[in-house]
Amino acid sequence: MAYIMDTNEEERVKGKTVEVGRAQFETETTRFTILDAPGHKSYVPNMISGASQADIGVLVISARKGEFETGYERGGQTREHVQLAKTLGVSKLLVVVNKMDDHTVNWSKERYDEIESKMVPFLRSSGYNVKKDVQLLPISGLVGTNMKTRVDKNICPWWNGPCLFEALDSVEIPVRDPKGPYRMPVIDKFKDMGTVVMGKVESGSICEGDSLLVMPNKAPVKVLAVYCDEDKVRRAGPGENLRVRLSGIEEEDISSGFVLSSVVKPIPAVTEFTAQLQILELLENAIFTAGYKAVLHIHSVVEECEIVELLQQIDPKTKKPMKKKVLFVKNGAVVVCRIQVNSLICIEKFSDFPQLGRFTLRTEGKTIAVGKVTDLPSRSSA
C-alpha cells in the first residue's frame, strides 16, 4: 500500500513516505480523500501539514512482535503522532492494528488485546474520549483482510466488529459552516493557465466568479475555476480539498500558509498573539521562559517564533490561573503566553475557528508544545 501511495523516487528508494500523498476512494455513501502522511520522525513537519487538513485520523500500528513496541515506547513515533493529531483537530481516530497475518501474530486475540490495553490509556491521556471518538480494529493491509469486507470467521473467529470501510462510513465528522466567511489555507500553488492554489475549505463556500482576498498581502483575486479532486465544479463548500484557479495574482506572490479569504470578513493577519500552551517535552536542560525560540506550525503556516512574555500558569486540576507570577515553566505545564513572529501570519482565535487557531511548537525536530490561540491584538491588519 505504501509503495503505491509513495509516488516519488526518494520514497521508493528509502521505503519511507516523505511527502503527503493524496488519493481518493469512495464507499457506498461517502467520498474520501486520503492524505497519506509520513510516519518517519525526520518528516514530522510534512505529517503536520497532512494532519492539519484531516477530519479523521487512521493510525496504522504494526502488530508484528517488536514493531509495535518501537513505535509506542517513549520517544517513539506513535506517541508523537497521536498527540499531534489531537492538537491539529483530528477529533476522530481509527486505530488500525495492521500485519495481523504476520507469522509472529497469526490473528492472535492475545496480541490484539495486549496492543489495545497499552493504547487505550495512552489515547485517553492525549485527550481522546476513547468510548466516543476512537475505534480499534484489526486488519491485514497486505492481503486486504477486514478492509472492504468483514474478516472471515475461519481466519479470525473472535472479531465481531466492523471492517475498515464500515468504520469510516460510520464516523460523524465535524460540522463546518457553509455560510460562514470564506477561509481556505493554501498548502500548495502552481502555474497552470493562471495561478492555481490548493487547500482545504475550513469555512464558507466558493463559486466560480467570486471575488476574494489572498491574505495577509490583501491581494484582490477573482475565481476563474474550482476543481474538486479532478472534476471541475461550479461551487464547493466547507470540508472539500480543492484546487482553485485565480486571476489577479502571480504564483510567486503566494506562499503556503497564506489564506484565501472572503472580502467582507477577511482573516486577521498578525505578528503577535496570545495563546494557551501545553508543554509536552522540552529538550534536555531547556527552560521555557520569555525569549524561548521555536518553530510555529499553525494550519499550513510554518514560521519561526519567540515567546515574548509568560502571562500566567494554569492549574491543570482546576483549569484556573494560578496566583503567583510565572517566570519559567517545565514539562507538563499549561501556560498562557504572548508569542511573536517575524512576518505577518493569518490566524484566528481557537474559539472562532478551531482549525485555524491551534498549533504546535517544535525545536530541533521535536514537538515541545501544543497550543491554541486565545486572543489576537485589536489592531490586527484585517
Side-chain angles (χ1 to χ4, degrees):
M1 180 68 183
Y3 193 86
I4 298 164
M5 289 291 289
D6 290 349
T7 46
N8 75 26
E9 271 312 292
E10 180 190 3
E11 297 179 315
R12 292 193 164 175
V13 171
K14 289 183 176 171
K16 297 172 191 157
T17 305
V18 175
E19 306 217 356
V20 175
R22 284 169 169 267
Q24 279 82 29
F25 70 95
E26 291 186 18
T27 61
E28 304 279 300
T29 58
T30 320
R31 190 181 74 241
F32 289 95
T33 303
I34 308 174
L35 301 156
D36 177 24
H40 193 270
K41 69 169 175 286
S42 314
Y43 305 112
V44 167
N46 301 18
M47 180 264 170
I48 292 175
S49 81
S52 68
Q53 297 164 263
D55 292 315
I56 305 170
V58 180
L59 182 67
V60 182
I61 289 175
S62 168
R64 190 183 284 161
K65 280 273 183 281
E67 285 191 4
F68 165 70
E69 286 71 12
T70 308
Y72 174 73
E73 260 128 42
R74 200 172 173 77
Q77 283 311 286
T78 305
R79 298 179 79 93
E80 185 174 21
H81 279 190
V82 169
Q83 287 164 335
L84 283 171
K86 182 65 187 163
T87 317
L88 294 162
V90 180
S91 54
K92 306 286 182 180
L93 205 56
L94 296 182
V95 180
V96 174
V97 182
N98 189 20
K99 304 190 186 176
M100 289 296 289
D101 60 321
D102 188 79
H103 68 89
T104 65
V105 185
N106 284 329
W107 293 92
S108 144
K109 184 169 177 359
E110 286 70 30
R111 177 62 170 160
Y112 180 81
D113 289 347
E114 177 194 357
I115 289 173
E116 184 171 16
S117 70
K118 284 185 175 164
M119 281 308 294
V120 166
F122 170 61
L123 291 165
R124 207 171 270 133
S125 71
S126 298
Y128 280 99
N129 177 335
V130 178
K131 279 203 172 63
K132 224 172 71 196
D133 298 331
V134 178
Q135 184 162 16
L136 280 91
L137 55 123
I139 66 159
S140 161
L142 189 62
V143 289
T145 316
N146 207 35
M147 286 180 72
K148 200 170 174 184
T149 51
R150 291 193 179 195
V151 57
D152 191 318
K153 284 278 184 242
N154 297 332
I155 298 175
C156 181
W158 49 269
W159 181 252
N160 299 312
C163 63
L164 179 59
F165 279 21
E166 288 175 307
L168 282 168
D169 268 341
S170 65
V171 173
E172 289 174 19
I173 57 170
V175 180
R176 291 183 178 84
D177 184 3
K179 293 192 167 53
Y182 190 70
R183 300 281 184 268
M184 185 183 102
V186 174
I187 54 159
D188 206 356
K189 42 89 191 255
F190 54 91
K191 270 197 172 85
D192 177 16
M193 292 162 42
T195 301
V196 179
V197 292
M198 288 168 65
K200 178 176 167 192
V201 184
E202 295 295 1
S203 161
S205 302
I206 187 171
C207 288
E208 244 179 64
D210 278 359
S211 293
L212 296 169
L213 286 178
V214 173
M215 294 294 290
N217 52 5
K218 297 186 180 155
V221 292
K222 204 164 176 80
V223 176
L224 299 178
V226 180
Y227 295 88
C228 188
D229 302 341
E230 295 303 309
D231 309 322
K232 191 167 190 271
V233 291
R234 274 199 49 74
R235 59 173 295 124
E240 295 283 9
N241 284 287
L242 302 179
R243 285 179 299 136
V244 180
R245 182 175 290 126
L246 303 171
S247 69
I249 194 163
E250 290 300 317
E251 177 241 5
E252 57 265 23
D253 296 331
I254 299 178
S255 303
S256 83
F258 282 18
V259 177
L260 200 53
S261 154
S262 53
V263 177
V264 178
K265 206 176 166 207
I267 187 166
V270 301
T271 54
E272 189 181 287
F273 59 94
T274 306
Q276 181 174 317
L277 278 182
Q278 167 144 26
I279 311 293
L280 299 175
E281 220 174 318
L282 297 168
L283 299 177
E284 295 278 313
N285 307 328
I287 296 174
F288 192 86
T289 175
Y292 191 96
K293 290 184 170 63
V295 179
L296 168 76
H297 291 257
I298 182 161
H299 60 85
S300 52
V301 169
V302 180
E303 195 68 55
E304 292 199 357
C305 71
E306 182 176 337
I307 309 302
V308 193
E309 182 187 6
L310 302 189
L311 300 170
Q312 51 194 183
Q313 194 168 346
I314 306 285
D315 185 326
K317 290 197 179 69
T318 62
K319 305 272 190 284
K320 290 194 167 58
M322 295 180 182
K323 289 270 192 298
K324 67 178 197 311
K325 185 150 174 53
V326 57
L327 293 173
F328 69 92
V329 289
K330 295 182 181 164
N331 288 351
V334 177
V335 63
V336 178
C337 57
R338 269 186 27 241
I339 299 177
Q340 206 170 51
V341 287
N342 294 331
S343 39
L344 281 172
I345 58 169
C346 297
I347 57 175
E348 294 273 12
K349 287 198 323 210
F350 178 83
S351 52
D352 296 338
F353 290 89
Q355 294 88 343
L356 305 173
R358 59 178 139 232
F359 61 88
T360 58
L361 293 183
R362 304 188 81 238
T363 315
E364 291 178 26
K366 196 165 149 194
T367 304
I368 55 127
V370 294
K372 53 188 184 185
V373 178
T374 52
D375 209 5
L376 298 172
S378 48
R379 294 196 327 277
S380 63
S381 80

